[in-house]
Amino acid sequence: MKKTPFLTLEQARRIAAEIPTPFHIYDEAGIRANARALKAAFAWNPGFKEYFAVKATPNPYILRILHEEGCGCDCATYTELLLAEAVGITGHEIMFSSNVTPEPDMRKACELGAYINLDDATHVEFLNRIAGQVPETVCLRYNPGGSFSLGNTIMDMPRDAKYGMTEDQMAGAISRLMALGTRHFGIHALLASNACSNEYYPELAANLFRLAVRLRSATGAHISFVNLSGGIGVDYRPEQPKCDIAVIGEGVRRQYERILTANGMDDVAIFTELGRFMLAPYGHLVSTVLHKKHIYREYVGLDACAANLMRPAMYGAYHHITVLGKENAILDHVYDVTGGLCENNDKFAIERSLPGIDVGDLVVIHDTGAHGFSMGYNYNGKLRSAEVLLREDGSFRLIRRAETPQDYFATFDGSEFQFRT
């Protein structure tokens, strides 16, 4: 499979003339189409709701687009709650899934009327104290321990994760919450990340549906929703299979009928908290080639660096690269594609086959729409880049300006210093 940018060289040049590279750009048409496809895939469940993982792309313009398509917000911190509130997303359109939760964060979530997803059994008393009275509906996060496998393939190791409760702890928490006045419960778990398989979500669903049946039997609680969280992956590499959300939704439906409907629990709503799947393919990092270097390898140096996209440096993650205007050229050169940080892992690609690259070329780094800008930082005094929205009509809008040195210095107590820029 060939990865094709949603941005042409002509469009990139037009934008770069007003908004200097590097910048992250998002494809509104793609985002909306994907949100609609997800909604259609789960239309069989009347209570279905997607809670977009704000941490993936924390920009109010993106949240507003998704909200217009029927999505809520999955928030983990006070600041993310403020972002949701600014867009007009409040109440049960927010799922508050935090851990090691500070009091101000929990208090804000309660004030907004969010669904509270408790990460630990000890948080029952914490929630009751902060809220003054436990909410009518509370969600609990599950950690089954051990490993999570599809067939003979281990997908992830929940036992190593800091998140969630054991089943016994969940049952105890439900009993305490019921005594305090909670009437309805949700169940949540994330058992793998970036699972590029149509079988992951249905298998996760089956695990949680069976858990819901057991918890109802053990406690008598009404389980009102099951939150499948995130984990659906994207095809970062051209040769990777692409997840089919229609097939995934049908797989979850079959498990629902086999387990929940068969046990008289056909009123359970299905929630999702997708970030990567919703946004990653619909974002590019656009950068300009500044330098070329020849020593023991051929190097191409960009004006972007790991401060703009840290996944390759942090995880060794693959992100496809297209040289705009050379999409159909022969890949007859091998380059390390680097940024300018004083760290040797500041590389977007290592020994990557690409067409011949010239200084001044514009390159697109694919699949940066989730966990791209949001993981940026200021090491080496690097400044966070701009974010741009490519509208459905082909026009563009700046939705976050690039940082300036004044922004970088703004949090110092500057009374003793003068910073000349």
Side-chain angles (χ1 to χ4, degrees):
M1 293 288 291
K2 183 178 180 181
K3 276 191 172 287
T4 303
F6 59 74
L7 190 69
T8 66
L9 175 61
E10 291 72 23
Q11 287 174 311
R13 283 175 172 166
R14 188 167 68 250
I15 297 168
E18 294 187 26
I19 305 168
T21 61
F23 55 78
H24 286 271
I25 187 165
Y26 307 101
D27 176 21
E28 180 181 1
I31 293 168
R32 289 188 184 275
N34 194 44
R36 292 168 189 172
L38 172 67
K39 187 174 182 179
F42 286 90
W44 54 267
N45 184 262
F48 173 75
K49 184 82 172 177
E50 157 62 12
Y51 291 85
F52 174 68
V54 174
K55 61 181 172 288
T57 319
N59 187 297
Y61 293 90
I62 299 299
L63 300 187
R64 184 167 63 188
I65 289 170
L66 291 169
H67 192 225
E68 290 170 355
E69 298 297 336
C71 302
C73 285
D74 162 39
C75 298
T77 64
Y78 185 87
T79 309
E80 290 181 353
L81 290 166
L82 294 180
L83 267 175
E85 184 182 29
V87 179
I89 300 172
T90 59
H92 283 176
E93 288 198 300
I94 298 175
M95 180 69 62
F96 183 60
S97 298
S98 66
N99 66 98
V100 196
T101 310
E103 284 197 15
D105 299 42
M106 183 65 82
R107 186 171 294 108
K108 184 65 176 178
C110 292
E111 289 174 0
L112 290 176
Y115 280 128
I116 306 297
N117 183 22
L118 296 181
D119 181 65
D120 184 70
T122 65
H123 290 186
V124 171
E125 285 70 30
F126 176 59
L127 171 61
N128 188 44
R129 177 170 60 83
I130 295 296
Q133 181 180 354
V134 293
E136 185 176 76
T137 303
V138 175
C139 186
L140 305 173
R141 187 165 186 170
Y142 176 52
N143 186 327
S147 61
F148 179 77
S149 303
L150 284 178
N152 294 320
T153 302
I154 294 177
M155 303 292 289
D156 216 325
M157 304 294 289
R159 72 183 182 208
D160 296 333
K162 67 177 182 175
Y163 307 109
M165 312 178 203
T166 68
E167 183 171 340
D168 286 345
Q169 288 174 335
M170 291 181 77
I174 287 173
S175 295
R176 295 200 300 279
L177 284 162
M178 289 175 70
L180 291 168
T182 299
R183 297 175 56 202
H184 309 288
F185 295 88
I187 296 172
H188 169 284
L190 174 69
L191 301 186
S193 181
N194 196 33
C196 293
S197 165
N198 291 334
E199 288 72 45
Y200 165 65
Y201 236 35
E203 185 62 27
L204 168 67
N207 276 269
L208 295 185
F209 295 162
R210 287 191 288 264
L211 173 64
V213 172
R214 294 195 302 270
L215 288 173
R216 184 194 63 169
S217 176
T219 66
H222 175 240
I223 308 299
S224 62
F225 65 83
V226 170
N227 186 338
L228 300 178
S229 65
I232 298 178
V234 298
D235 51 332
Y236 287 103
R237 295 177 180 270
E239 67 272 16
Q240 278 184 285
K242 186 175 183 178
C243 288
D244 187 328
I245 197 62
V247 171
I248 291 169
E250 175 60 18
V252 174
R253 185 194 66 79
R254 289 196 296 267
Q255 298 286 20
Y256 187 101
E257 293 187 354
R258 184 173 67 86
I259 300 169
L260 291 180
T261 302
N263 283 278
M265 299 175 66
D266 58 357
D267 64 336
V268 175
I270 300 299
F271 296 164
T272 57
E273 291 177 353
L274 299 168
R276 188 193 313 269
F277 176 81
M278 296 300 289
L279 255 294
Y282 311 106
H284 294 332
L285 175 57
V286 180
S287 184
T288 301
V289 176
L290 296 183
H291 298 284
K292 294 173 66 178
K293 180 177 182 177
H294 170 71
I295 45 175
Y296 307 104
R297 293 184 188 174
E298 298 290 333
Y299 291 93
V300 171
L302 306 183
D303 60 0
C305 65
N308 307 112
L309 177 68
M310 72 184 301
R311 294 187 73 254
M314 186 173 184
Y315 303 120
Y318 179 96
H319 281 264
H320 200 65
I321 296 174
T322 296
V323 184
L324 292 177
K326 299 179 180 180
E327 291 88 345
N328 298 314
I330 298 172
L331 309 182
D332 56 355
H333 289 66
V334 177
Y335 298 108
D336 280 17
V337 181
T338 80
L341 289 185
C342 298
E343 295 291 338
N344 197 44
N345 67 351
D346 182 21
K347 296 181 179 181
F348 296 112
I350 297 174
E351 296 185 315
R352 181 79 58 87
S353 293
L354 291 164
I357 294 177
D358 300 304
V359 170
D361 279 347
L362 288 170
V363 302
V364 154
I365 302 177
H366 290 251
D367 302 311
T368 67
H371 312 294
F373 178 93
S374 66
M375 297 178 74
Y377 55 98
N378 288 127
Y379 180 65
N380 258 175
K382 291 290 187 178
L383 304 173
R384 291 177 177 86
S385 58
E387 292 182 291
V388 180
L389 180 66
L390 181 65
R391 293 188 175 115
E392 291 180 288
D393 63 3
S395 64
F396 65 91
R397 177 179 182 174
L398 181 68
I399 59 174
R400 190 196 304 260
R401 67 166 175 80
E403 285 183 337
T404 66
Q406 287 88 344
D407 296 320
Y408 183 81
F409 298 139
T411 53
F412 293 125
D413 177 0
S415 59
E416 297 180 44
F417 308 103
Q418 290 188 346
F419 299 101
R420 296 179 174 84
T421 59

